[in-house]
Each structure stands twice: as structure tokens, then as C-alpha cells.
Amino acid sequence: GGVTVTGGVGVSSTGGGITVVSGVGTATSSGAVSVKSANAGTSGVSGSMTLATGTSSAGVSGAFTMDTGTATGGNSGSVAVTTGGASTSGTGGAFTVAVGDGDTGTGGDIGMTAGKSSAAAGGAVGVTAGQGATLGGGVTVTGGVGVSSTGGGITVVSGVGTATSSGAVSVKSANAGTSGVSGSMTLATGTSSAGVSGAFTMDTGTATGGNSGSVAVTTGGASTSGTGGAFTVAVGDGDTGTGGDIGMTAGKSSAAAGGAVGVTAGQGATLGGGVTVTG
């Protein structure tokens, strides 16, 4: 038979609550609380578990909090939400975090914030896809669709160092294995059916007390029998308008020499590379 625990009805006020609290250990640890369904028998599945607040016809529905207690003399407790491992022919269980849609208001937010520290490093946030015997799992970050206005943006910003340097940002594909090539990388703006396509800017920040940062675009060195990678700068063709321009301008200086512009072909064991300028 089943077991049901129900709080009392509140006719004109709040209904009765239900509290489950383990026993205090005055000298050592408090007691654990365990809520679980029983293991399945020889056939069937184990019982499901639902932790949910009730609906609301007028007002905000109840909040749901999963929290470990504050530690005054040690490390705080961890929170682990995991799915069980699958059998030989099974699939691993999915883990889904979804928030409510908004009607006349905005949709719900999702936030992940690592812990701060007053004396050591702040906590890290890691998102790692699973290893696969064939293909590894992918990671996709996509901004939301804007039906009647602009779609949602994506911003990646490193942390501020209030006393020293800010954090670095690194975006790269992994090294290739024993065969194959390393993953390609594409940085591109989307196409536009009516209007100008998005601009692409690669820029270092302004320096108020030192040298400004450099920009380097290089291809990797080739193996003994390989060819060096090419570097191509090409602008768009014009239809009824002019084709796009290419401009290179060295920096000016108010107190020293202006920057130089140099174009140098590569050295070769037989012939050196040529330089061609055509109008």
C-alpha cells in the first residue's frame, strides 16, 4: 500500500506545512535525510520521483530551493545532480534545465555563477561534452530568436583583475589525434536579406599607460614535406555599387616616428617569393 502525508487545508489562510528534519547531533554530525524510490524488481523500472511546487491561479507559484547549509568552520557542502549509468545497450539519461515561458512578461532567466573567495581563487565554471567511442559530444551556445525585434546576443568577457591583469580569452580547436586534421575555426557574421550584413571587428584595447596590444594573424609552420598555409584577404564584390576597398594604414605618432608598412615575400631554397601589385 501507498503512504500519503498531506498538510491540513487552510480555508481562509495558508494551508498546513510539512517539515522533515533529521535529528541534531549535539557533539557530532546531524542525521542524514534520505528520500528515494525502491529498486525495480525482476522486470519494470524503478519508481519515479517528483519534487515540485503546486500551481497558482492568482499570484506567483511556490519557489523551489535546493541548498546546502553554511559552514562556519570548514568547507560548505556540495550539490550533485546526476543521472545513473546505462547498461551495455542503453543510453545515458538526459539532464535538462528549463525555465518557464513568459506571457506578457519576459521568459525566465538561467544563471550560473561560480563562488567568490576573499582570500583565494574564485570558483570556475566548466561545460564539457561527453566522450564518445565514435564522435565526441558537441557544445552549442545559441542566442534566442527575436520574433519582432533583434535576436539575443552572446557575450564572452573575461574577468576583471582589479589590481592586476584581466583574464585571457582563448577560443581554439583541439589538436588532431594520430590521424586526421585539427578542427577548423570560423568567425563570421550572418547573411542579410534586407540591409547591411553584420560588421566584423578585431581590435585591441586602448592603453592609457603603456603600449597598445598587437594583432597577429599567422598560419602554422608546415612539416618537412608540407606547404605553408596561405593567408588571403578578400573583400566583397559590388553589384550596382562599387567593390569593397582594402586599406592598410600605419599608426601616427605625436612625438616620434610614424609606423611603417612593409610587404615582404618569403625566402625560398630555390626562388624567393614575388610581390605583385596590379591596378
Side-chain angles (χ1 to χ4, degrees):
V3 176
T4 302
V5 180
T6 306
V9 175
V11 176
S12 60
S13 185
T14 306
I18 296 176
T19 303
V20 178
V21 181
S22 66
V24 175
T26 55
T28 59
S29 303
S30 62
V33 175
S34 177
V35 180
K36 62 173 290 186
S37 65
N39 296 335
T42 54
S43 64
V45 298
S46 61
S48 63
M49 175 173 288
T50 302
L51 297 175
T53 65
T55 61
S56 174
S57 58
V60 180
S61 61
F64 180 87
T65 302
M66 183 167 50
D67 186 24
T68 63
T70 301
T72 57
N75 298 331
S76 63
S78 301
V79 173
V81 180
T82 60
T83 64
S87 63
T88 305
S89 59
T91 303
F95 175 67
T96 303
V97 178
V99 295
D101 298 331
D103 185 6
T104 57
T106 60
D109 297 325
I110 293 179
M112 288 195 300
T113 305
K116 63 182 180 180
S117 172
S118 58
V125 174
V127 178
T128 306
Q131 174 182 326
T134 53
L135 295 176
V139 175
T140 303
V141 179
T142 306
V145 175
V147 176
S148 60
S149 186
T150 306
I154 296 177
T155 303
V156 180
V157 181
S158 67
V160 175
T162 54
T164 59
S165 303
S166 62
V169 175
S170 176
V171 180
K172 63 173 291 186
S173 64
N175 296 336
T178 54
S179 63
V181 299
S182 61
S184 63
M185 176 172 288
T186 302
L187 297 175
T189 64
T191 60
S192 173
S193 58
V196 180
S197 61
F200 180 86
T201 302
M202 184 166 51
D203 186 24
T204 63
T206 302
T208 57
N211 298 330
S212 64
S214 301
V215 174
V217 180
T218 60
T219 64
S223 62
T224 305
S225 58
T227 303
F231 175 65
T232 303
V233 178
V235 295
D237 297 331
D239 184 7
T240 57
T242 60
D245 297 326
I246 293 179
M248 289 194 301
T249 304
K252 64 182 179 180
S253 173
S254 59
V261 174
V263 179
T264 305
Q267 174 182 326
T270 54
L271 293 177
V275 176
T276 303
V277 180
T278 304

